[in-house]
Amino acid sequence: MGYAHYEISRNGQTIQAGYAVEATCEEDGCEESIDRGLGHLCGKHPGGDEHGCGGYYCGQHLTYDNHCQRCADAADRANRWVHPATGEEFDLRDHFLPAGAAYDGRCVVWKHLGDFDGETPLLTPVNGIDSRPTGKQAKPIAEGEWEEAAEVIRRLMVGA
């Protein structure tokens, strides 16, 4: 299959897709000319799946993660976890470090890989460079204090 022109099934309809297929942004009220290539696709797969609706949007109506605003909001809600005891909010897509730890590009960071202990997300130690699990035991996010690795890196860069 080439990516210039092909057919997909979306919402029970067959439509033409591909970077050679001219279209208009599917955001209500937007008349921006686009194509139905992967660069304008909401999600990862033409036709839609759990990663996006499969709609086609202009650059103004796609987020940095290639989602329309509705799918981006849904992803934010699905990946938000609030610590029941402290009220602290966590985005489970982030990488974490134990509070007070320094970041080193070769270090281990902690990432939620979809595992839970009851209702509590587990953080698994992964290699900071490629996010491969280290093989060491995961810890509940509710145990100990965690900081977003990106915030630790930002502090190191600005010298704060």
Side-chain angles (χ1 to χ4, degrees):
M1 167 176 98
Y3 291 107
H5 191 269
Y6 52 96
E7 289 186 347
I8 61 170
S9 178
R10 183 179 73 167
N11 301 324
Q13 272 187 312
T14 299
I15 65 168
Q16 304 299 308
Y19 60 83
V21 177
E22 294 180 16
T24 302
C25 177
E26 295 180 18
E27 182 66 31
D28 289 341
C30 184
E31 297 296 323
E32 181 80 20
S33 292
I34 60 170
D35 60 56
R36 285 196 180 145
L38 298 176
H40 295 283
L41 176 66
C42 173
K44 299 180 183 216
H45 301 286
D49 62 9
E50 71 273 13
H51 301 291
C53 67
Y56 293 91
Y57 298 89
C58 68
Q60 183 179 351
H61 293 112
L62 278 180
T63 66
Y64 67 93
D65 209 14
N66 264 44
H67 283 119
C68 67
Q69 195 59 56
R70 286 172 296 284
C71 290
D73 292 345
D76 287 346
R77 284 189 303 275
N79 287 290
R80 182 175 165 260
W81 184 79
V82 179
H83 192 299
T86 66
E88 184 178 7
E89 292 185 22
F90 293 89
D91 186 332
L92 298 179
R93 296 168 288 194
D94 290 335
H95 290 169
F96 297 94
L97 288 170
Y103 178 81
D104 175 340
R106 301 163 298 191
C107 76
V108 169
V109 294
W110 296 75
K111 182 171 175 61
H112 176 65
L113 298 179
D115 299 318
F116 287 83
D117 179 11
E119 297 288 318
T120 304
L122 295 175
L123 296 179
T124 299
V126 299
N127 292 311
I129 293 174
D130 58 15
S131 292
R132 287 185 314 176
T134 64
K136 295 189 176 164
Q137 187 169 356
K139 293 183 180 179
I141 198 170
E143 284 183 15
E145 293 183 25
W146 302 93
E147 292 185 276
E148 290 178 36
E151 179 60 25
V152 174
I153 294 166
R154 187 196 66 76
R155 280 199 314 264
L156 289 172
M157 291 177 69
V158 297

